[in-house]
Amino acid sequence: SYCTIEDIRAYRADSYANTDKIDSEVIAARSRAIEVIEREANRYLQPVVRAGSVDRPNCTRTSIPFVDGGICADIIGVLRAEHDGSPAKVEVATVCSLYVPGVTVGGYADVVLKLGMKPTPAEMRAAVTALAAYYLVPKAGPDNATSESTDAGVINYVVAGVGGAATSLPEVNAVISRYGIRDYMVG
């Protein structure tokens, strides 16, 4: 994982007061933070194994695989490929495409791929730690509040999903923006 549960408990311990959280709560917050960051960045930032498929719609020998309902990037390797129930020759062509000479034109292959950035960006540890710790903090106001009126004026919040913000933490949004990639358009 990107960080330990002790890292999350110690993050802003004086103001967040997460030191009393049980392990299962901290692990769940860390998992949620990783999922949100990777989904918003549209890539796997540490090595994972995922099943998907790759097609060969025409005579070209390279194709972009589909994993988890989308087009993947950061392909490290092909662990297995099957075309019509038999092993097929499928290799990494680029970080975003596969060389598929073992797939017939108009056919497809089921693949198991190792995906992820090499190396995992160092900033990811801090981003996952911050977001996981934030998830553990009890919220005083509604989760969807975008601003609050005070005697001093209006306080505007960074809110996940509002104004292009991926999360409610600007420092995490900056890391997602730095390492995130846009999804390919097919059409």
Side-chain angles (χ1 to χ4, degrees):
S1 235
Y2 293 103
C3 59
T4 66
I5 57 176
E6 289 77 23
D7 293 335
I8 296 166
R9 283 190 180 118
Y11 184 79
R12 295 187 180 171
D14 54 335
S15 59
Y16 276 19
N18 286 333
T19 56
D20 63 337
K21 302 295 182 186
I22 60 173
D23 288 356
S24 61
E25 289 176 308
V26 179
I27 291 168
R30 180 178 62 189
S31 296
R32 180 178 171 202
I34 291 168
E35 179 183 326
V36 166
I37 291 169
E38 288 184 341
R39 182 185 66 238
E40 293 297 328
N42 203 29
R43 66 195 317 181
Y44 299 104
L45 301 168
Q46 64 182 13
V48 295
V49 174
R50 295 288 186 261
S53 64
V54 64
D55 63 353
R56 186 173 177 193
N58 52 37
C59 294
T60 61
R61 292 183 173 215
T62 59
S63 186
I64 299 172
F66 290 89
V67 174
D68 293 334
I71 297 171
C72 65
D74 304 311
I75 303 169
I76 296 171
V78 178
L79 303 178
R80 189 178 77 233
E82 287 185 3
H83 172 61
D84 290 333
S86 300
K89 181 176 181 175
V90 175
E91 300 170 348
V92 177
T94 68
V95 295
C96 297
S97 66
L98 297 175
Y99 178 63
V100 292
V103 179
T104 59
V105 174
Y108 74 94
D110 293 318
V111 293
V112 177
L113 304 171
K114 185 173 183 183
L115 306 169
M117 292 182 72
K118 290 187 338 188
T120 301
E123 295 96 330
M124 268 312 122
R125 179 175 187 207
V128 170
T129 302
L131 190 57
Y134 174 77
Y135 286 150
L136 292 169
V137 175
K139 307 300 183 276
D143 285 339
N144 59 352
T146 58
S147 64
E148 178 182 340
S149 294
T150 68
D151 292 339
V154 176
I155 300 170
N156 291 312
Y157 301 116
V158 176
V159 179
V162 176
T167 73
S168 296
L169 300 176
E171 65 269 25
V172 175
N173 293 339
V175 172
I176 291 170
S177 178
R178 182 176 303 121
Y179 293 103
I181 58 172
R182 301 198 131 216
D183 208 359
Y184 297 99
M185 278 300 251
V186 179

